[in-house]
Amino acid sequence: MSDPLPPPYPPDNERLADIETYLTVHLTYVRQVRAAEARRCQIQQRTAPPPPPPYRLQRGLDAARAVVRVHLGDSAMAKKAPGVDDLTARRALVEGVEACAVCRPDTELGLIDGWRTSPPLRLRSSGRTAGR
């Protein structure tokens, strides 16, 4: 038979105590670093601003506060305007609300002058066009 491998640690108690102290110090350091990283991640998640809405509706200054312009959500022209989804923005553009000339939300939505830029839908049963 082969000789057994030598033990990985020294046999005397004094050196084992030194190794235990060394490992305890490193374990404490690793735990502190992990706790600090977890706190940093929690703070970052709490303080991260929410993403901007996809579109914004700018309202007029008159008494009616009617919608006057549609903007992209990250447009600097309408930072305080309420955010809306793409369906609401598309509906507003089709109903005649002006698109911002700077950020061009109508192009982003695939609309030009209130009409779709994609080809009209074909009905399978009759071959007539729909959607324009």
Side-chain angles (χ1 to χ4, degrees):
M1 269 187 144
S2 66
D3 293 334
L5 293 174
Y9 299 111
D12 60 298
N13 199 20
E14 184 177 327
R15 287 190 289 177
L16 284 175
D18 290 342
I19 291 173
E20 181 182 16
T21 303
Y22 173 81
L23 292 175
T24 303
V25 167
H26 277 282
L27 182 60
T28 304
Y29 172 76
V30 168
R31 287 179 178 160
Q32 288 173 352
V33 169
R34 287 186 63 204
E37 182 66 21
R39 281 192 306 272
R40 189 189 63 78
C41 286
Q42 286 177 347
I43 291 171
Q44 185 178 12
Q45 287 175 352
R46 281 185 289 174
T47 59
Y55 300 95
R56 295 184 185 271
L57 297 179
Q58 179 182 356
R59 299 201 176 268
L61 298 176
D62 58 347
R65 303 281 297 157
V67 176
V68 294
R69 211 167 277 118
V70 178
H71 296 274
L72 288 177
D74 56 355
S75 174
M77 306 291 280
K79 287 275 187 197
K80 295 183 180 179
V84 295
D85 61 344
D86 58 345
L87 182 64
T88 307
R90 183 176 282 123
R91 185 177 298 130
L93 290 171
V94 170
E95 290 174 356
V97 176
E98 181 183 348
C100 175
V102 176
C103 60
R104 303 301 305 180
D106 52 348
T107 305
E108 184 80 20
L109 288 167
L111 298 171
I112 295 180
D113 295 329
W115 296 98
R116 292 191 320 230
T117 56
S118 58
L121 299 175
R122 298 273 177 197
L123 298 177
R124 292 184 190 175
S125 60
S126 64
R128 296 183 308 176
T129 61
R132 277 209 147 173

